[in-house]
Amino acid sequence: MVAADDVHLDEAETVALAYFQAAHRNGWSALVALAADALAERDDLEDRLRQRARQISRGYVRGRVDA
């Protein structure tokens, strides 16, 4: 098994190697797992951004001054 420390790898190569090894050297399985994790991270980020936008919007409404 190759370790990232054995050769100089950039961050993307290190992540790819970890997925490849976790998938027992099956390239397709590694790619699918990496894509699934990336999509889950994207969905989580989008949820957090929507939540933050709602909090900001509520803050503006609460701070509103009627003239």
Side-chain angles (χ1 to χ4, degrees), residues 4 18 23 34 36-37 39 47-48 54 56 59 62 64:
L34 181 59
D37 286 351
L39 292 170
D47 290 344
R48 286 185 281 142
R54 284 192 304 270
I56 292 169
R62 280 195 297 265
R64 185 174 149 199

Side-chain angles (χ1 to χ4, degrees), residues 1-66:
M1 187 172 286
V2 178
D5 296 338
D6 293 343
V7 292
H8 177 66
L9 300 176
D10 66 22
E11 187 175 7
E13 291 170 326
T14 301
V15 170
L17 178 60
Y19 274 87
F20 184 67
Q21 289 174 338
H24 306 287
R25 303 180 66 81
N26 180 313
W28 179 253
S29 292
L31 179 61
V32 170
L34 181 59
D37 286 351
L39 292 170
E41 287 291 324
R42 182 206 59 194
D43 291 346
D44 182 54
L45 177 59
E46 287 175 346
D47 290 344
R48 286 185 281 142
L49 289 173
R50 276 192 293 275
Q51 181 181 9
R52 181 166 291 155
R54 284 192 304 270
Q55 290 171 342
I56 292 169
S57 295
R58 288 184 193 134
Y60 283 125
V61 170
R62 280 195 297 265
R64 185 174 149 199
V65 177
D66 291 326

